[in-house]
Amino acid sequence: MSEHAMIASDVFRFQLFVAGDAFHSSQAIANLTALCVDYLPDRHDIEIVDVFRHPDHASSARVTLTPTLLKLFPLPVIAIVGTLSDTGAVLEALGLDAS
């Protein structure tokens, strides 16, 4: 098994970049929370980063649009832009099985 192969017990680490309490940001938070509860119970860590309060975090992560989700672990790091409302597409991008 490679150094970066995902195992069933991996804890997923996310950063979700949002723009304050904007509607799409609120949707992304709700959708990510629901996805984690349903598909990654007790296997997720979500950090919400408000780009208005922490523009330096967005800049260092090269985030230019909100909402943007970064999956930091397990590797590889991936970015998903949008409200995360298409659960199937988000699960596929994260390498998770929808069943």
Side-chain angles (χ1 to χ4, degrees), residues 30-62:
N31 289 334
L32 178 61
T33 301
L35 182 142
C36 287
V37 167
D38 291 345
Y39 296 94
L40 296 168
D42 303 318
R43 293 182 45 219
H44 64 276
D45 177 39
I46 301 170
E47 177 186 3
I48 306 295
V49 180
D50 184 340
V51 300
F52 294 144
R53 291 185 172 184
H54 303 286
D56 53 321
H57 289 9
S59 178
S60 66
R62 298 183 180 197

Side-chain angles (χ1 to χ4, degrees), residues 17-18 51 55 57-70 79:
F17 290 83
V18 298
V51 300
H57 289 9
S59 178
S60 66
R62 298 183 180 197
V63 170
T64 58
L65 299 170
T66 61
T68 293
L69 174 67
L70 295 183

